[in-house]
Amino acid sequence: MHHKASTYWARGIMTALFLYLVTPIVVTMIYSFSTSWVKTILPSGFTLKWYSQLITNADFTSSLLRSLGLGLLTTIIAQICFLPVVFYANVYDARVKSHLRFVTVLPFTIPGIILVTGLIQLYADLPIPKLLILVLAISLLSLPLTYQALDNAFIGQDFRAMFEQALVLGDSPLKAFIKVILPNIRAGILIAMLLTFTSAFGEYVLTNILLGGNFETLKIYMYRLMQSNGQASSVLTTIYFIFLALVSLILIVIMRHYAKHDQSSQKGTHN
Amino acid sequence: MTTRLKVFSPLSLLVILVLLLPISVMIVASFQGGDAGFSLDNYRQVFTNHYYSEAIRNSLGIALITSVFSLLIAIVGAWSLTHLAPSTKNMFISLFNMSASFAGVPLAFSLIILFGNAGIWQALTTALHLPRLFEIYSLSGTTLAYTFFEVPLGILFLFPVFEELNPEWREISAVLGASPFFFFKKVILPIIFPNIIEVLILLFANAMGTYETTFALTGNSIVTIPTLIGTLIDGGLTANIPLACTFATLFALVMTALVWLGNRVTRSKREVAA
């Protein structure tokens, strides 16, 4: 009896939370399809005009490409920095993990606006490309996501035994890693890459302040549109939300796929 | 030893280049006066200038209200989430993740569409002759805006803790004759309380460091520590990077101490519980 009542409460609360979080997004979506929606309760009509206008705009394409490039570079750098360390910590020396914990709180103790102050002070007058510094700095701030996702990938299997067997059989450490470890942590790597990519793709603070608006990424373009053209900005916001939704969908598919895979392989070993 | 070096060198290089070096230079610069000698003048300004103390007051006020309010909703939300079917649960976790990523320019824009001067809320309240209650470009509007990412973040932090609570404990304590209140006070609270404190600190720190949403929503009309730092860096004539470094140094120092303290509370409590 008690269980029933709490379930109803839970459902009611979650419905309210859902409405509260989703309303601004849904309203922006409707706005992007409206001919005009100013100071009225309902829009005056619907159109796809704003979409064709934005998508054919050269500024949109170039800002999209910049954000994609930033996302890809950051994803690669984050993997190069963290994959070996997380592997080492999980297989050889768990003590390393306690040292890595500082990484997980980094976005809270040194958020983007604080980090960029130091970067400006250090690199503003040095002849080093700011873009390189930007990519490295975004990689640093995305490390908590990368770290957590990669660390989860190492749960549940004896990677040390697998790795050492491969070494005994004559593989070099790098070859052993690629042959026996990598195939087993594919899901974790994919998830880590997607999360890193998303955070770099939507970066704003570092890009805007470090490069002073000279490097117009999608978010900076969105801010410029917001000041000048509400309709175009609502289209871009909607596209950005659809991008986030697609990423979540892919994440769910990956997790489901590998969860099933794990279950069947576990059953195999138990039988 | 050489493998260790190979394994750690990319990460170490990254941390040195874009964390340790810039932060050290930032701390040194915060003590630079006009004549490049050592001076505490910047620090004196931070605490005596009226405009700067307004930024500090605004930041503390917004962060304190949003973090406490969001924590309360997040506790109820995380509790509710544990009562849902697994597939619905996953759908909501995705939604919370998306909402947290939606923070910043897109969120600010959506809220302006909804609550702005030409927005739907305005039309609705005018049509129904209701008071508007709040102004989205103001302090209270900014505070409301923060809850749109603080609440989902809080739920994502708290949910794993709530998920670990065993429903059988309640039955056992009921069988042993404990009242629900006694059960809550003696069993549930000691387990979740340290985590709640830790999450509160993280939400507070997160709100304190928020730049994008505030800047996109209010321009520079609501001054907080992060938007003030932004203006001090690229504010043209009023730019003063050493002063920005002073604010940033104080921020990093206070937040590191706070997060470290939160971590200690959780760990010592856990050890006592174990």
Side-chain angles (χ1 to χ4, degrees), chain B residues 63-141:
Chain B
L64 213 60
I65 294 170
T66 35
S67 56
V68 170
F69 183 71
S70 303
L71 179 75
L72 293 178
I73 300 181
I75 291 172
V76 178
W79 171 83
S80 305
L81 195 56
T82 58
H83 283 75
L84 299 180
S87 59
T88 336
K89 214 182 272 180
N90 288 334
M91 191 205 86
F92 269 103
I93 292 175
S94 296
L95 172 77
F96 295 141
N97 268 314
M98 268 191 281
S99 305
S101 314
F102 200 66
V105 179
L107 174 69
F109 179 73
S110 298
L111 291 178
I112 289 172
I113 298 264
L114 192 56
F115 297 115
N117 286 334
I120 295 103
W121 180 252
Q122 166 84 325
L124 211 63
T125 47
T126 315
L128 299 173
H129 302 289
L130 290 171
R132 280 188 75 189
L133 295 174
F134 68 98
E135 178 79 50
I136 193 68
Y137 312 100
S138 69
L139 262 181
S140 56

Side-chain angles (χ1 to χ4, degrees), chain A:
Chain A
M1 274 303 139
H2 190 84
H3 178 73
K4 271 274 164 59
S6 59
T7 310
Y8 282 127
W9 270 105
R11 282 189 194 149
I13 290 164
M14 290 320 272
T15 312
L17 267 177
F18 179 82
L19 289 175
Y20 152 74
L21 290 174
V22 159
T23 305
I25 297 167
V26 170
V27 165
T28 309
M29 281 181 170
I30 300 173
Y31 191 85
S32 73
F33 291 108
S34 315
T35 45
S36 166
W37 194 6
V38 178
K39 293 190 176 172
T40 52
I41 295 172
L42 291 170
S44 50
F46 291 103
T47 174
L48 281 172
K49 182 169 72 179
W50 313 115
Y51 278 82
S52 61
Q53 232 173 52
L54 182 83
I55 290 165
T56 51
N57 192 323
D59 284 354
F60 169 71
T61 329
S62 50
S63 68
L64 182 67
L65 286 176
R66 284 191 198 102
S67 285
L68 284 174
L70 214 54
L72 280 175
L73 271 177
T74 307
T75 308
I76 294 167
I77 292 174
Q79 288 299 319
I80 293 175
C81 291
F82 246 123
L83 190 53
V85 174
V86 176
F87 168 70
Y88 187 85
N90 274 289
V91 171
Y92 284 106
D93 192 354
R95 278 173 307 171
V96 175
K97 281 195 187 179
S98 63
H99 295 294
L100 289 175
R101 278 190 56 175
F102 86 94
V103 160
T104 53
V105 293
L106 201 59
F108 300 100
T109 53
I110 318 260
I113 185 71
I114 304 302
L115 187 63
V116 80
T117 312
L119 291 171
I120 287 271
Q121 176 68 28
L122 177 60
Y123 292 109
D125 300 323
L126 291 182
I128 301 173
K130 300 284 172 297
L131 204 54
L132 176 69
I133 301 298
L134 176 70
V135 171
L136 292 178
I138 300 177
S139 309
L140 180 87
L141 282 187
S142 76
L143 285 184
L145 291 172
T146 320
Y147 173 67
Q148 228 111 52
L150 283 180
D151 199 41
N152 285 340
F154 282 95
I155 294 171
Q157 287 189 53
D158 189 356
F159 286 95
R160 184 165 188 165
M162 285 157 65
F163 187 65
E164 281 176 351
Q165 270 168 17
L167 290 182
V168 167
L169 292 171
D171 283 332
S172 69
L174 185 66
K175 206 173 164 197
F177 178 78
I178 294 172
K179 251 167 65 179
V180 303
I181 306 294
L182 222 48
N184 284 297
I185 54 168
R186 260 184 318 202
I189 292 182
L190 267 176
I191 293 169
M193 288 175 86
L194 265 173
L195 292 174
T196 316
F197 180 83
T198 314
S199 80
F201 185 80
E203 211 290 322
Y204 177 81
V205 186
L206 291 175
T207 318
N208 191 33
I209 296 182
L210 198 59
L211 296 177
N214 294 324
F215 188 74
E216 195 172 70
T217 55
L218 207 69
K219 272 278 188 76
I220 295 177
Y221 182 48
M222 198 187 282
Y223 181 71
R224 179 157 71 91
L225 282 181
M226 192 177 140
Q227 308 297 99
S228 58
N229 184 343
Q231 298 292 358
S233 187
S234 69
V235 172
L236 192 52
T237 308
T238 305
I239 292 176
Y240 184 70
F241 179 75
I242 291 170
F243 161 78
L244 290 179
L246 272 178
V247 171
S248 318
L249 203 67
I250 297 172
L251 283 174
I252 291 172
V253 170
I254 295 174
M255 284 184 212
R256 281 225 181 117
H257 178 81
Y258 283 91
K260 255 184 214 158
H261 185 81
D262 279 358
Q263 268 172 10
S264 60
S265 68
Q266 265 173 15
K267 262 182 211 152
T269 52
H270 283 302
N271 292 340

